Amino acid sequence: MTNKTALLMIDIQQAMFGPDEICHQPERVLVKAGELLARARAAGTPVYFVQHCEAEGGFAPKSAGWQIHPKVAPRAGEPVTEKWAASSFYKTDLDQKLRAAGIDTLVIAGLQSEFCIDTACRVAQSLGYKVTLAADAHSTFDTTILPADKIIAHHNRLLAGIVERVVPVAEIAF
């Protein structure tokens, strides 16, 4: 990767890991996202966090569920963008922050595969960023139609035709 690369950690928040619902393979997503985070920091690659917000419930600002999971929490000085929609870019300053830092390539990890991860990949690509999706560092929940593992696999396959790369964490270097 170039020095114009950033790691984008999306919605890895406490509410995704219980008590009401627990995402598919929670330890896998935390371990893989944690590996990416550690490698990015060690390489001096900037890390940007996105935090989903809702007016009430598990994602209400300052609630326990709204907090970024402690295993992948931002350090002092690492920017956090709050969002109120599925898109990390809609009505946020994320694009401006990235452009001001000269970022042209994003590595994306987080939750949920079919919502905020899919949207971030598509919007970032349409804004001109080169996007790598960490294929094993995103997750979601079972639905009444499909189990989470199928949703994840489907989005990896679908996004592979849209973004620059969809690869496992082991194949991502900073």
Side-chain angles (χ1 to χ4, degrees):
M1 301 274 166
T2 69
N3 61 358
K4 294 182 179 182
T5 298
L7 174 59
L8 188 57
M9 302 280 279
I10 300 174
D11 301 350
I12 307 177
Q13 293 166 256
Q14 292 281 64
M16 300 291 197
F17 299 90
D20 298 331
E21 288 188 285
I22 299 173
C23 67
H24 179 68
Q25 296 183 337
E27 285 306 312
R28 172 195 48 86
V29 76
L30 287 172
V31 166
K32 295 298 182 177
E35 287 175 23
L36 274 178
L37 182 59
R39 291 203 321 254
R41 286 173 172 161
T45 299
V47 181
Y48 293 78
F49 292 84
V50 177
Q51 193 170 27
H52 187 73
C53 302
E54 294 179 0
E56 299 174 355
F59 294 98
K62 311 297 183 218
S63 70
W66 174 82
Q67 304 297 325
I68 294 173
H69 196 286
K71 289 187 178 180
V72 294
R75 290 182 178 165
E78 290 177 332
V80 178
T81 298
E82 293 182 2
K83 67 176 180 61
W84 293 80
S87 176
S88 298
F89 297 93
Y90 178 72
K91 293 188 177 181
T92 73
D93 62 353
L94 180 60
D95 186 43
Q96 292 82 3
K97 287 178 185 174
L98 295 169
R99 293 194 191 283
I103 303 299
D104 67 5
T105 302
L106 296 173
V107 174
I108 296 177
L111 292 140
Q112 284 180 246
S113 305
E114 73 276 30
F115 293 113
C116 302
I117 297 302
D118 181 276
T119 304
C121 288
R122 290 170 186 268
V123 173
Q125 185 78 18
S126 71
L127 290 171
Y129 294 97
K130 296 176 201 144
V131 175
T132 294
L133 174 60
D136 52 353
H138 65 94
S139 189
T140 193
F141 302 88
D142 291 338
T143 71
T144 56
I145 298 170
L146 287 174
D149 64 326
K150 298 289 187 201
I151 296 168
I152 294 163
H154 172 74
H155 283 272
N156 282 341
R157 185 192 161 287
L158 184 70
L159 290 167
I162 296 169
V163 301
E164 188 168 293
R165 298 184 332 144
V166 177
V167 295
V169 166
E171 294 180 27
I172 299 171
F174 292 99

